[in-house]
Amino acid sequence: MHDLDRLLRQDRHWVHPVTALLQHEAQGPCIWKSADGIHLTDIHGKRVQDAFSGLWCVNAGYGQPSIVEAARRQLETLPYATGYFHFASEPAIELAARLTSLAPEGLTRVVFGQGGSDAVDTAIRLVRYFFNATGRPEKKHFIGLQRGYHGTSSNGSGLTALPLFHRYFDVPTSDQHHIPSPYPFRHPQGPDDANVLCSTVKALEDTVTAIGAHNVAAFICEPIQGSGGVIVPPGGFLKAMRDTCDRLGILLIVDEVITGFGRTGPMFACEAEGVSPDLMTLAKGLTSGYAPMGATLISEHIYAALAEAGKDGTALGHGQTYAGHPVSAAIANATLDLYLEGGLLANGLQVGAYFQQQLKQLESLDCVGEVRGRGMLAALEFVADKHTNAKPAAALQFGQQVLKHAFAEGLVFRAFADDILGFAPSLNYTKADIDTLLAILKYAIEKAAASAR
Ligand SMILES: Cc1ncc(COP(=O)(O)O)c(C=O)c1O
């Protein structure tokens, strides 16, 4: 049987993540075969420029020889080592120390995992443990933002606030709450930054008051809401949330799964506002997607309570077989080298500024309501009417049409369901790569607009 026919038949056994299953059965998969630099090549040999870093994770770009070599060396010398029962491996130890030295002040300990969903799940579990162990067992409620995304674990999916992740899954639970997103473009109070910030602070205060501060454990947020449509809150948002959480006596969890590792410029988005959360979740850019890995960083006061709770010799009952996997850790260490000594972070800062400036020019198009972003993370939101900001008719599937035309010309990015396009170029992009991205994007928007007329 021809290879492609075989693969198409075999793919019917794979229930793909976040995919409309019947639609997938009808259309079949797009099968990537290889990748280099910023390009992906499919099984037919079609080469496409990746403007989304895989799934906002391949921050270093594809085919980085130093990462491949680090993985190969680690696979040869020690392909697996548990972190349980006092065992360890060199790369995981080194990575824990490096992450805490790069992280915002106070985040001194690392719990390793496999990806973003379980990093969030770990954060939730440790917060519960912390309050139970310190004699405040009634502090059970968590508050997140509408349009937030925190993965799909049984716990975390309830803090996610996008309808499809709730439907039929019995989440959110009664101890999970959401306040309006700091979304200036569509905020009921208008786009004024100060109003958006004030009303977000007030919504958190009101929600905590309604539940009772003594019942609330933590507030969780992304510095920029990624899967919710790359929603960029006003400057000062994280700082305002930090101050509010402190005032209310609740913990702050910052989910940097997308925004970490240079995505918005600095190593972590918290850095830009000088904010130290109590817990911080990481994944994606940690290994640049070359292997699965996530991490939950916790502050010393939380660690101290966890340690104290086990002073009778009871182990902390949390962990997974692959927590601190040595191959993933070796890959993460090689990736950190590229961000730092390899100059990727610096390149991302420079090219990211150019990207934002060039992309912003598309706001002059009639169908573009807003271009927003920071560094190598951006969105473009379509409207049917620039005065009212009304959305295009859903039946047009305008964003999907733009993606279809762009893909035909050799560019891939993300088209969210509500006519928002998302971009996350890797940090190895050049200005010329950005120019190519923009030329194809502009062509694709104009083509979709012409057929919508
Ligand atoms: C902010 C955020 N948190 C958590 C997750 C879940 O990560 P994963 O898909 O690795 O489980 C994601 C994934 O996109 C994310 O964007």
Side-chain angles (χ1 to χ4, degrees):
M1 200 191 300
H2 187 270
D3 239 17
L4 180 59
D5 291 340
R6 177 182 54 78
L7 285 168
L8 294 181
R9 283 165 61 102
Q10 290 176 329
D11 180 68
R12 296 177 68 84
H13 297 283
W14 178 8
V15 181
H16 286 254
V18 194
T19 298
L21 301 179
L22 293 181
Q23 191 184 331
H24 184 73
E25 284 195 30
Q27 78 181 47
C30 163
I31 307 172
W32 298 119
K33 181 91 176 167
S34 63
D36 63 287
I38 62 163
H39 290 95
L40 290 154
T41 303
D42 78 4
I43 197 156
H44 306 289
K46 182 180 167 69
R47 197 169 139 85
V48 171
Q49 178 169 330
D50 182 0
F52 206 66
S53 299
L55 198 61
W56 10 50
C57 55
V58 188
N59 290 14
Y62 301 98
Q64 289 285 1
S66 62
I67 303 183
V68 175
E69 177 53 20
R72 192 192 60 76
R73 242 184 298 122
Q74 192 59 43
L75 280 164
E76 276 177 5
T77 50
L78 183 70
Y80 177 77
T82 181
Y84 281 44
F85 319 133
H86 313 287
F87 292 112
S89 70
E90 290 166 87
I93 293 174
E94 282 161 12
L95 181 60
R98 287 180 84 181
L99 285 176
T100 52
S101 75
L102 293 166
E105 209 184 322
L107 292 169
T108 51
R109 313 282 178 153
V110 183
V111 182
F112 285 120
Q114 293 70 228
S117 293
D118 70 279
V120 170
D121 196 63
T122 292
I124 297 168
R125 273 169 62 77
L126 294 185
V127 166
R128 287 200 186 120
Y129 192 102
F130 169 73
F131 283 121
N132 287 333
T134 53
R136 289 165 288 174
E138 62 291 344
K139 273 178 128 12
K140 289 282 183 277
H141 290 251
F142 287 78
I143 301 168
L145 291 175
Q146 288 166 8
R147 301 182 80 101
Y149 186 72
H150 301 290
T152 61
S153 73
S154 295
N155 274 322
S157 59
L159 294 178
T160 288
L162 299 170
L164 87 106
F165 298 93
H166 291 172
R167 185 172 172 255
Y168 300 147
F169 282 112
D170 294 340
V171 285
T173 52
S174 56
D175 56 7
Q176 297 178 320
H177 313 264
H178 299 99
I179 59 171
S181 165
Y183 186 5
F185 184 61
R186 294 200 179 275
H187 204 275
Q189 321 267 315
D192 179 75
D193 280 0
N195 277 347
V196 173
L197 271 189
C198 263
S199 74
T200 309
V201 167
K202 181 158 180 348
L204 182 55
E205 286 170 347
D206 290 351
T207 306
V208 170
T209 306
I211 305 165
H214 58 289
N215 293 319
V216 179
F219 171 72
I220 183 168
C221 65
E222 300 154 85
I224 289 178
Q225 296 187 280
S227 300
V230 189
I231 294 165
V232 186
F237 163 73
L238 284 178
K239 176 87 175 57
M241 292 301 105
R242 174 75 276 179
D243 294 347
T244 310
C245 288
D246 285 347
R247 209 168 50 249
L248 297 169
I250 66 176
L251 297 175
L252 172 67
I253 307 169
V254 176
D255 185 348
E256 290 240 25
V257 165
I258 287 178
T259 52
F261 304 101
R263 175 55 61 206
T264 70
M267 186 61 96
F268 302 114
C270 279
E271 242 175 84
E273 296 192 6
V275 163
S276 289
D278 299 291
L279 299 97
M280 184 165 98
T281 48
L282 302 173
K284 295 191 188 275
L286 171 58
T287 55
S288 190
Y290 282 55
M293 184 173 236
T296 307
L297 273 59
I298 59 175
S299 57
E300 190 60 24
H301 80 283
I302 293 181
Y303 173 77
L306 307 184
E308 175 71 13
K311 68 173 185 250
D312 61 354
T314 307
L316 176 69
H318 183 77
Q320 308 91 10
T321 303
Y322 299 124
H325 195 284
V327 178
S328 298
I331 286 173
N333 281 320
T335 307
L336 284 181
D337 291 342
L338 283 177
Y339 292 142
L340 299 166
E341 293 87 38
L344 273 185
L345 220 60
N347 187 67
L349 262 175
Q350 208 192 25
V351 177
Y354 180 72
F355 174 47
Q356 296 297 335
Q357 179 205 346
Q358 297 298 307
L359 191 67
K360 196 74 180 164
Q361 293 181 15
L362 296 186
E363 263 184 7
S364 63
L365 299 177
D366 282 346
C367 58
V368 177
E370 187 184 50
V371 168
R372 53 179 178 260
R374 200 178 295 156
M376 291 297 226
L377 182 60
L380 186 154
E381 181 159 347
F382 293 115
V383 290
D385 178 331
K386 271 188 127 103
H387 301 290
T388 62
N389 290 338
K391 286 202 165 280
L396 283 178
Q397 298 220 319
F398 193 75
Q400 289 295 340
Q401 291 303 313
V402 174
L403 175 58
K404 192 183 85 187
H405 294 307
F407 196 82
E409 293 302 308
L411 180 72
V412 69
F413 45 81
R414 174 108 172 247
F416 296 102
D418 50 359
D419 293 309
I420 298 172
L421 303 183
F423 302 90
S426 45
L427 307 188
N428 61 338
Y429 256 61
T430 62
K431 289 185 177 170
D433 297 329
I434 295 290
D435 292 342
T436 307
L437 186 169
L438 281 148
I440 299 177
L441 176 62
K442 185 154 187 273
Y443 159 85
I445 295 174
E446 281 168 350
K447 189 147 183 191
S451 26
R453 259 177 229 130

